[in-house]
Amino acid sequence: MLILGIESSCDETGVALYDTQAGLLSHALYSQVALHAEYGGVVPELASRDHVQRVIPLIQQVFKTANRKLADLEGIAWTAGPGLLGALLVGAGVARALAYALHIPAIGVHHMEGHLLAPMLEENPPSFPFVALLVSGGHTMIVAVEGIGRYQVLGETLDDAAGEAFDKTAKLLGLGYPGGPEVSRLARQGQSGIYRFPRPMVDRPGLDMSFSGLKTYVLNTWEKEKAAGNDDLQTKANICRAFEEAVADTLVIKCRRTLKQTGWHRLVVSGGVSANTTIRRRLQAVAEDAGGQAYFPRLEFCTDNGAMIAYAGAQRLLAGQKNDLDFSARARWPLESLPPL
Ligand code: KG4
Ligand code: ZN
């Protein structure tokens, strides 16, 4: 079954062609990072307008690369939520119109299910059940995954998402957008142990997290250093290092606790923040300590992409699930409300 995947929930237009027998045939991505950079964050209306311009050429590109025709297509998977509504509606319009015109089924995919299943596109995919840590710019959650659509959210952030904390830290320090890659790059030059930031909510039982307090520590530390005349790059790097270690430690403690609680030993880590090398290394160690292994998407599929949407949608379409044409985009959409396969 040949499936076209379309992702347009935020600031990346991602398109992919996935064949349920041959695997991923082609994928293409347009990132709007440069467009939003001068505003220091995503401007929703600009994002929607840009998706409108990019999506059709990207679709043409993936067909060309895979040497397939529109007439070969057997299903369409598009991100239906959660995300920016105007941005989602661009993918919704294109996907449903194509499905209608080609008389093929379409399915609206949950963006976080896409992230959660992204490691399935790799050579050594995890088998069920597994614990999934989803760490993106909009979400941070720990999910018990017994199968596709069999999700129990065991813990989540009570305030900022982990990626959001990276982005806000970058903004406070006057670094570029998005902040994650910038902060982690500087953190590598930073010295450990200069500052000690708190590990929020690790002393309490449970698996919920909180990251909003960290930015106050970043702000206060930076203001204090600046007042003392230390407004140099090395000081910024040391702060980035302390911040990254605090986030990594928090995720490590919560994941270790989850593996213990579930008795499972496979850990999937996905979403934009899973591109962070320190966090990857630390979480791999957690899974190995539990007698298992951690599974990550390849770096380019950690952040938003069309391939993960095509894959997730393909599994559901293969199982006979589809949505009617009146199924529309939704800004909010609880992961646990998805039907099992
Ligand atoms: O999954 P994603 O592309 O979009 C959402 O669904 O939100 O994640 C984007 C987030 C941004 O907050 C970005 O700063 C963060 O992932 N990110 C990183 C790294 N690369 C991207 N955070 C930490 N370290 C990185 N290397
Ligand atoms: Zn995402």
Side-chain angles (χ1 to χ4, degrees), residues 44-45 54 85 109 122 130 146 158 180 192 205 238 320 325 330:
E45 175 62 14
R54 306 294 170 189
L85 195 59
V109 173
E122 302 309 320
F130 56 75
E146 289 191 76
L158 303 179
S192 184
N238 295 342
L325 285 175
R330 57 267 323 260

Side-chain angles (χ1 to χ4, degrees), residues 1-55:
M1 199 176 189
L2 183 68
I3 311 293
L4 172 69
I6 303 175
E7 155 64 34
S8 72
S9 68
C10 191
D11 58 348
E12 263 118 14
T13 322
V15 173
L17 271 182
Y18 179 81
D19 184 286
T20 51
Q21 258 145 30
L24 187 63
L25 301 183
S26 59
H27 60 97
L29 184 93
Y30 183 83
S31 167
Q32 303 176 355
V33 161
L35 176 69
H36 302 291
E38 64 175 298
Y39 305 98
V42 179
V43 183
E45 175 62 14
L46 293 184
S48 311
R49 288 187 214 169
D50 204 61
H51 285 304
V52 171
Q53 292 194 321
R54 306 294 170 189
V55 66

Side-chain angles (χ1 to χ4, degrees), residues 7 9-12 82 111-112 114-115 135-139 270-272 302-305 308:
E7 155 64 34
S9 68
C10 191
D11 58 348
E12 263 118 14
H111 181 79
M112 299 313 287
H115 277 304
V135 270
S136 72
H139 297 84
S270 190
C302 286
T303 45
D304 294 347
N305 64 86
M308 67 184 193

Side-chain angles (χ1 to χ4, degrees), residues 4 40 44 47-48 74 94 101 136 163 170-171 192 239 264 296 324 339:
L4 172 69
S48 311
E74 292 168 282
V94 172
S136 72
K171 208 168 181 173
S192 184
I239 294 175
W264 300 348
F296 306 92
D324 294 332

Side-chain angles (χ1 to χ4, degrees), residues 135-139 160-165 167 271-273:
V135 270
S136 72
H139 297 84
D160 291 353
E164 194 179 353
D167 295 337
V273 181

Side-chain angles (χ1 to χ4, degrees), residues 74-154:
E74 292 168 282
I76 302 184
W78 56 283
T79 304
L84 302 171
L85 195 59
L88 290 164
L89 283 171
V90 178
V94 172
R96 290 177 308 181
L98 264 180
Y100 181 73
L102 298 170
H103 305 287
I104 56 175
I107 188 142
V109 173
H110 193 293
H111 181 79
M112 299 313 287
E113 177 171 76
H115 277 304
L116 196 153
L117 297 176
M120 298 292 188
L121 288 162
E122 302 309 320
E123 240 169 54
N124 169 30
S127 46
F128 299 111
F130 56 75
V131 168
L133 170 70
L134 304 179
V135 270
S136 72
H139 297 84
T140 296
M141 49 173 111
I142 298 177
V143 190
V145 180
E146 289 191 76
I148 294 178
R150 295 169 65 201
Y151 308 133
Q152 194 190 350
V153 179
L154 300 177

